[in-house]
Amino acid sequence: MTTYDAGEFTLEKVRDYVWEIPQEGAMNAPARVLASEALLDEISEDETLQQLRNATHLPGVQKHALCMPDGHQGYGFPVGGVAGIDARNGCISPGAVGYDINCLPGDANVRLSFGRRAPIESLRARFEDEEAMVAGDDFVPSGIRLFTESGEKTVYEVETATGERIEATADHSFLTPDGMVDLADLKPGDSVFVQPFEGIEDERPEEATLLTEEDFSEYNWQIQRVLEERDLLPLRTTDEAFNHLLKILGFFTGDGSFGGEGQVWFYGEPEDLETVREDVRAVGFKPSKVYARERDHQIDGNSSQTIEHSFETTSKAFRLLIRKLGVPVGEKIASGFTTPGYFGRLADWQKALYYSAYFGAEMNAPAPQHDKHLYCPKVSQTRTVDTADAGESFLKDLADFLADLGIETNAIERFDDDSNSERDVVRLRLGVKNDSENLIRFFSRVGFRYNREKREKAVAAIQYLKTKEREIERRESIATEARTMADGGASADEVKDEFEINGRFVERSIWSGRSGRPRPGDDFPNFEESLESVEVRDDLTVETEIASIREAREKPVYDIGVEHEAHNFVADGFVVSNCGVRMVKTNLRYDDVQGREEELVDALFDAVPSGLGGGGIHDSSDGDVEAVLDRGVDWALEEGYAVESDLAHCEDEGRRPDADPDAVSQKAKDRGRNQLGSLGSGNHFLEVQRVTDVYRDDVAAEFGLDEDQVVVLIHCGSRGLGHQVCTDYLRDIEQAHQGLLNQLPDKELAAAPAGSHLAEEYYGAMCAAINFAWVNRQLIMHRTREVFADVFDRDWREMEMELLYDVAHNIAKKEVHDVEGEEKELFVHRKGATRAFPAGRPELPPAYADVGQPIIIPGSMGAGSYVLRGGENSLSETFGSTAHGAGRLMSRTEAKSKYWGGDVQDDLRDQQRIYVKAQDGATIAEEAPGVYKDVDEVVRVSDALGIGDRVARTFPICNIKG
């Protein structure tokens, strides 16, 4: 065979295992695929070849862009891709180093902090400055740690029995009573949790300065200083602190008062007051503890006692601040307060912060009326006759705000009130119209703050009213069908037999008709009865059934990842979820481990943090992160996590000298701070293995490997820090080098020209991230040594737990290579590929200078892995590179639709004595052995081409997955 037909592409055979897409058009070089025909069949199934061809359009590509035998589709640049690009006249591309995938369409609305919602697509440019709402033990905001996007994928529309709708890809996870479950594993009738509060569409308020130093010039200078220290002067409508203040102002207007010297008091239930205290702290002031005291009451001659709860602040600066912002001063009944004058400059969601807090204090809770209706939610004020107009103005502004949101209110009521014996007072009242759709809009868009009971009842009310509407719609449909059947000649009895409904309802539908919509049946519960069967959880979610799941269409999809350990966020009301390798040798034999596999895997799983979120082995400070980024494994040596021999057996001795910690954003550093010494998620793992085969005795001896030996493989990367570096620079490069981007066939290949400021910054930041990744794996190795010492009751040194080698996978490095007889400095991009230098290359550590670099090729957890050494042909063929693993055959979505994690785990244990442990079954399904290509075939091609020579093969004993 001299050509290979891959659909759109015809590959020409250069020689055995080398196939080429010839250079044409705007390609700067040919594209080459290193694969057997069996592997080509798999590579050609996705977008790998198109992405490889696109990569040849990058300026400065030398010789040819390459796809290793394990290649598969990636973000912009194929995983398993290698490109050597002129470091003087070419470019550097973050997309050709590494990125991620995702799963919600762009119009999916994500719940954000402060009661806002926004389409997920709109978060692309600002996600690091936003907080998404997370469900769990509570409903809380969390920083967003990542934003990912990709091309079009098939999405499915999910609709619940209460009318919630969302579109998502099949691999997107939803919160269910059984935990997070992928959409592919759900079906109609299954239960999911929804959060019915929608919030208000996000918009940026008009930027206006509300308070400056001049507003406090008449007071003691210390007042101004206190406010300036807390960044409250000047105070602008766009300040986050102002949003916290709006909630406090609204609640104080209802349930607050001024006391003695500097005192500001807030009253409510203890749990609710704790949330007010959080906002007081958020603006920089210290609240008191919550006090409790007995209060005596006399009503119609009857006395009673209640417990009143309250807390205070005693800062004169805080008291003056909220006075300047428009809270009632003095006795509220006579103060003449109205809506603060700056409200016209606020976004609707900001107004809702104020009013929902006021409603939490003053509005009646959702309650049953009669005939399955709810009472009209009302707020009322008592004012003196002189200030009644001001009170009516306040309520009118409130009604206008609700009207802007499509929420109707009744007319403002005004009537005399004789409750005050000392002065003439007027009672004012405003109610929200209580038809179902109007109440749903009110409870789901505005609702209540600072009142747990009202918030829970509002959630229950939304679901009750939605269910009621569904029931009415069902009865309307039956009535229409009944009349149609009767008009067609069917008897009343025949019509009654057709429907499971009261016979009297059918008769009325046929004969007497009815004015208006039908009412729910007698067996439909009222609101009070429904509360007994509806559980509103602490995170304000409720359980509902899936009514339908149907394939919609293909759409571009997106995802976000949050910092909160719950790893979920709320979109469209649903709760949904968003390297390198080193080998450690031991002198243990397989017999030493047999019978202790479960003990070992449990101990490793407990000791090494894994999964998407935070938590690492080292509790890092800002200074630690800076030192790690700068010095790499040298830092670990100083801190006692490494020994000298670890550095001697690590690529670049565990430190990239070109690292520039200052080029790493603070956001990236913050993400990495609590992840140092953790596996992460996806295909990352820690695996205990045994050496089953040795192919080159001489090289294996140099590497310190022999048959039946126990080794440990650690595969993970720079965690969220590295992802953030890529995200930061992709965005900056897209904006700064739009001209270059417009010349490329795929925007995901965004690149910075060599020598440009961004190219140098990105290279320095990437090298710093590599340092972080090396230290991350070093800390995991340190913890692994401790676990082995505990399990086998001997010092790790006695077990000779030495590092064989550590090599990076996703990287672009400046290296000198021969290009047509000329020595050139190149940016060698290796995305999901590994360096494979032969003996004699100066970058190799002394231990391997004469034998060649060790290469570690992980396979699936059921197939084993390989140790190779840099082949003699690697420099001329692949810029000193080879494959980095088996390569995926199917997506994670496909994997989870085909495999069940528990079954995979059981089969591996029972059939192959491989013990696997992970955070959840879905992770195991995603990494099932059948998901990956044949690692034997991948390595066979590498060996045959002389780019990576087989040395030894290993097989899993136990494995913990990220």
Side-chain angles (χ1 to χ4, degrees):
M1 179 185 287
T2 58
T3 61
Y4 180 91
D5 183 8
E8 181 181 349
F9 299 97
T10 298
L11 281 69
E12 297 180 359
K13 186 173 182 179
V14 177
R15 59 183 176 279
D16 285 348
Y17 310 122
V18 181
W19 304 84
E20 186 167 283
I21 302 174
Q23 181 179 355
E24 62 181 11
M27 295 171 66
N28 293 313
R32 285 191 173 180
V33 182
L34 310 183
S36 64
E37 290 177 24
L39 290 172
L40 270 181
D41 291 340
E42 295 163 350
I43 288 171
S44 60
E45 287 293 313
D46 57 24
E47 297 297 316
T48 302
L49 297 178
Q50 181 64 60
Q51 291 183 338
L52 183 64
R53 185 183 186 277
N54 290 345
T56 65
H57 291 69
L58 288 166
V61 172
Q62 303 293 299
K63 296 172 66 172
H64 31 246
L66 295 140
C67 176
M68 297 296 106
D70 59 337
H72 57 93
Q73 178 180 331
Y75 177 92
F77 195 81
V79 177
V82 174
I85 300 178
D86 193 318
R88 176 175 296 182
N89 301 311
C91 64
I92 186 168
S93 171
V97 173
Y99 211 65
D100 249 325
I101 57 172
N102 25 257
C103 43
L104 286 178
D107 56 358
N109 274 301
V110 175
R111 278 291 314 281
L112 302 175
S113 58
F114 300 117
R116 299 169 295 142
R117 66 173 188 268
I120 190 170
E121 184 180 15
S122 71
L123 301 178
R124 178 194 288 109
R126 58 187 174 105
F127 73 90
E128 65 267 35
D129 299 320
E130 284 291 359
E131 291 183 319
M133 298 303 293
V134 173
D137 294 335
D138 203 345
F139 191 51
V140 295
S142 171
I144 301 175
R145 67 169 69 232
L146 61 89
F147 177 94
T148 58
E149 59 181 306
S150 70
E152 293 192 345
K153 297 182 185 293
T154 301
V155 297
Y156 299 81
E157 183 184 72
V158 181
E159 183 173 3
T160 70
T162 43
E164 292 83 10
R165 288 186 179 90
I166 191 172
E167 289 182 342
T169 54
D171 59 351
H172 208 75
S173 298
F174 289 76
L175 183 61
T176 76
D178 297 321
M180 302 304 296
V181 177
D182 285 358
L183 177 54
D185 298 323
L186 294 172
K187 61 185 182 300
D190 289 344
S191 292
V192 292
F193 287 106
V194 294
Q195 219 282 7
F197 185 82
E198 297 174 7
I200 295 174
E201 185 175 353
D202 184 35
E203 61 175 319
R204 185 172 176 81
E206 173 190 337
E207 186 161 358
T209 300
L210 303 178
L211 295 173
T212 68
E213 294 86 346
E214 293 182 3
D215 292 292
F216 297 88
S217 60
E218 63 186 284
Y219 303 103
N220 187 302
W221 63 271
Q222 291 180 324
I223 298 289
Q224 182 177 317
R225 188 194 67 183
V226 167
L227 296 175
E228 287 175 343
E229 287 175 348
R230 289 159 175 77
D231 291 327
L232 297 172
L233 284 183
L235 183 67
R236 302 177 181 87
T237 54
T238 52
D239 292 341
E240 181 173 323
F242 178 58
N243 299 328
H244 292 283
L245 285 166
L246 281 169
K247 292 186 281 181
I248 294 169
L249 300 175
F251 189 75
F252 179 92
T253 301
D255 275 342
S257 68
F258 292 124
E261 187 75 8
Q263 291 179 332
V264 180
W265 286 93
F266 298 90
Y267 304 90
E269 293 300 314
E271 181 182 15
D272 302 326
L273 291 177
E274 289 299 335
T275 61
V276 186
R277 294 174 77 241
E278 289 173 9
D279 280 311
V280 171
R281 281 193 291 265
V283 294
F285 295 95
K286 184 178 179 180
S288 72
K289 67 178 184 179
V290 175
Y291 304 113
R293 65 169 180 170
E294 291 185 354
R295 297 295 300 269
D296 294 324
H297 299 276
Q298 291 287 335
I299 302 177
D300 297 331
N302 297 316
S303 60
S304 63
Q305 283 188 333
T306 60
I307 304 295
E308 177 187 83
H309 296 93
S310 61
F311 78 88
E312 65 172 328
T313 65
T314 57
S315 168
K316 294 179 181 178
F318 178 71
R319 176 171 170 148
L320 276 173
L321 176 68
I322 65 172
R323 284 184 58 178
K324 292 284 185 181
L325 288 172
V327 298
V329 178
E331 191 180 11
K332 291 177 185 176
I333 194 174
S335 70
F337 73 90
T338 59
T339 310
Y342 50 78
F343 258 47
R345 298 176 173 181
L346 304 187
D348 283 341
W349 60 266
Q350 289 182 306
K351 297 176 185 177
L353 293 175
Y354 175 92
Y355 284 126
S356 61
Y358 176 69
F359 295 152
E362 292 296 306
M363 182 175 276
N364 57 290
Q369 187 183 23
H370 59 80
D371 198 24
K372 317 297 192 291
H373 292 297
L374 270 65
Y375 273 112
C376 167
K378 296 177 181 178
V379 288
S380 60
Q381 291 185 356
T382 301
R383 299 284 191 124
T384 63
V385 172
D386 293 339
T387 62
D389 288 346
E392 190 162 334
S393 175
F394 178 90
L395 294 181
K396 184 180 184 305
D397 289 341
L398 194 163
D400 289 344
F401 159 70
L402 293 176
D404 288 342
L405 299 179
I407 300 166
E408 296 183 81
T409 56
N410 299 316
I412 298 172
E413 299 176 274
R414 183 169 180 166
F415 45 88
D416 294 335
D417 187 347
D418 59 2
S419 62
N420 193 306
S421 59
E422 299 178 359
R423 68 189 89 182
D424 293 332
V425 295
V426 173
R427 191 74 171 167
L428 302 167
R429 187 163 61 197
L430 175 70
V432 177
K433 287 188 175 180
N434 68 337
D435 70 84
S436 294
E437 291 186 3
N438 195 57
L439 286 180
I440 291 171
R441 282 193 292 272
F442 173 70
F443 291 138
S444 65
R445 297 180 187 179
V446 183
F448 308 95
R449 287 185 187 275
Y450 296 148
N451 192 302
R452 182 77 196 184
E453 179 185 4
K454 293 178 184 178
R455 295 186 79 186
E456 290 183 354
K457 285 190 174 180
V459 167
I462 294 168
Q463 297 306 94
Y464 175 77
L465 294 170
K466 286 180 178 178
T467 305
K468 175 184 166 185
E469 282 299 297
R470 283 296 182 97
E471 174 63 9
I472 291 173
E473 289 170 4
R474 184 183 76 88
R475 292 167 74 87
E476 281 181 320
S477 177
I478 291 174
T480 300
E481 292 183 42
R483 284 193 295 271
T484 300
M485 290 180 65
D487 290 345
S491 68
D493 287 340
E494 289 173 328
V495 176
K496 291 177 186 178
D497 290 341
E498 188 69 20
F499 303 104
E500 293 183 8
I501 200 165
N502 181 276
R504 175 62 182 150
F505 177 84
V506 172
E507 291 173 357
R508 288 194 61 202
S509 300
I510 296 173
W511 295 322
S512 60
R514 59 173 54 84
S515 60
R517 305 175 73 199
R519 294 177 299 182
D522 292 340
D523 57 346
F524 190 84
N526 61 34
F527 178 56
E528 194 69 38
E529 293 167 336
S530 75
L531 291 177
E532 298 177 5
S533 60
V534 174
E535 179 189 2
V536 180
R537 305 198 316 166
D538 290 342
D539 55 11
L540 299 177
T541 60
V542 289
E543 186 176 339
T544 187
E545 279 192 1
I546 295 175
S548 64
I549 302 174
R550 65 177 184 84
E551 184 174 328
R553 55 194 177 281
E554 288 197 345
K555 287 185 175 183
V557 292
Y558 308 82
D559 199 11
I560 59 174
V562 299
E563 295 174 356
H564 195 279
E565 61 184 8
H567 311 318
N568 68 53
F569 60 98
V570 176
D572 288 338
F574 292 78
V575 182
V576 296
S577 348
N578 333 162
C579 62
V581 64
R582 68 169 44 193
M583 178 173 281
V584 184
K585 301 177 290 183
T586 78
N587 62 14
L588 298 175
R589 319 314 290 173
Y590 183 41
D591 284 346
D592 296 321
V593 179
Q594 281 189 292
R596 308 187 72 172
E597 296 95 340
E598 281 196 85
E599 177 188 3
L600 185 57
V601 77
D602 286 344
L604 288 169
F605 188 80
D606 290 342
V608 179
S610 61
L612 177 64
I617 289 169
H618 181 79
D619 186 12
S620 306
S621 66
D622 289 343
D624 289 335
V625 174
E626 294 286 340
V628 167
L629 294 172
D630 183 36
R631 303 202 304 277
V633 185
D634 281 346
W635 173 88
L637 179 65
E638 295 166 7
E639 295 293 320
Y641 293 115
V643 294
E644 290 285 354
S645 64
D646 294 336
L647 279 67
H649 293 86
C650 188
E651 181 178 349
D652 296 332
E653 296 186 333
R655 180 182 185 185
R656 289 296 299 159
D658 297 321
D660 181 5
D662 291 339
V664 178
S665 70
Q666 188 59 49
K667 179 71 173 180
K669 293 171 183 175
D670 289 343
R671 289 181 59 188
R673 183 181 298 108
N674 67 337
Q675 295 182 333
L676 196 56
S678 61
L679 278 178
S681 58
N683 66 340
H684 295 154
F685 63 84
L686 187 157
E687 188 169 88
V688 180
Q689 306 172 331
R690 70 183 190 273
V691 178
T692 57
D693 301 276
V694 171
Y695 304 103
R696 288 175 172 82
D697 291 334
D698 56 340
V699 179
E702 292 288 342
F703 286 177
L705 297 174
D706 57 14
E707 287 190 17
D708 207 40
Q709 178 183 3
V710 173
V711 296
V712 181
L713 204 59
I714 299 168
H715 179 215
C716 62
S718 53
R719 297 299 321 273
L721 182 142
H723 189 287
Q724 187 67 44
V725 167
C726 188
T727 299
D728 291 338
Y729 281 96
L730 269 176
R731 184 180 306 115
D732 291 345
I733 289 170
E734 285 174 355
Q735 294 173 355
H737 298 290
Q738 189 68 43
L740 173 55
L741 183 61
N742 291 337
Q743 299 172 31
L744 298 174
D746 189 342
K747 70 175 184 178
E748 295 174 0
L749 289 172
S756 67
H757 174 68
L758 274 177
E760 294 302 316
E761 275 205 335
Y762 171 63
Y763 189 70
M766 182 191 61
C767 288
I770 294 167
N771 284 346
F772 187 95
W774 277 323
V775 174
N776 189 42
R777 293 191 288 274
Q778 181 67 44
L779 264 62
I780 293 172
M781 185 176 82
H782 171 78
R783 182 60 59 85
T784 301
R785 284 167 165 167
E786 291 181 331
V787 169
F788 269 66
D790 288 341
V791 171
F792 296 103
D793 195 24
R794 67 187 86 163
D795 188 271
W796 66 265
R797 295 171 185 83
E798 184 184 338
M799 289 182 282
E800 299 178 0
M801 295 187 72
E802 301 289 345
L803 179 62
L804 170 65
Y805 200 61
D806 184 309
V807 61
H809 281 169
N810 293 345
I811 190 171
K813 295 180 75 172
K814 288 181 182 178
E815 297 171 358
V816 176
H817 288 269
D818 182 283
V819 179
E820 298 179 353
E822 180 185 352
E823 295 289 300
K824 281 190 174 183
E825 186 177 53
L826 308 178
F827 285 123
V828 180
H829 294 68
R830 297 185 180 99
K831 177 178 180 178
T834 189
R835 197 178 74 174
F837 282 173
R841 185 76 182 193
E843 293 93 336
L844 294 179
Y848 304 124
D850 296 331
V851 67
Q853 173 200 316
I855 302 160
I856 304 159
I857 308 287
S860 75
M861 57 189 173
S865 303
Y866 280 87
V867 178
L868 284 63
R869 63 103 173 250
E872 291 295 332
N873 297 333
S874 68
L875 293 176
S876 60
E877 295 289 339
T878 61
F879 303 104
S881 312
T882 191
H884 87 308
R888 293 189 74 91
L889 270 176
M890 64 180 71
S891 70
R892 299 185 185 282
T893 302
E894 293 173 300
K896 287 182 284 189
S897 66
K898 184 172 182 178
Y899 298 102
W900 184 255
D903 292 342
V904 173
Q905 191 175 27
D906 291 344
D907 289 345
L908 287 170
R909 182 189 64 239
D910 298 340
Q911 297 175 19
Q912 297 181 274
R913 291 190 61 79
I914 301 170
Y915 292 77
V916 178
K917 195 160 185 177
Q919 293 288 347
D920 54 57
T923 299
I924 296 175
E926 290 176 1
E927 298 297 308
V931 168
Y932 285 90
K933 297 176 184 177
D934 182 353
V935 70
D936 297 331
E937 183 72 359
V938 169
V939 170
R940 187 179 73 82
V941 171
S942 176
D943 187 72
L945 287 171
I947 58 176
D949 305 332
R950 292 190 308 174
V951 175
R953 193 180 196 279
T954 63
F955 195 77
I957 297 173
C958 60
N959 179 300
I960 65 171
K961 303 295 296 184

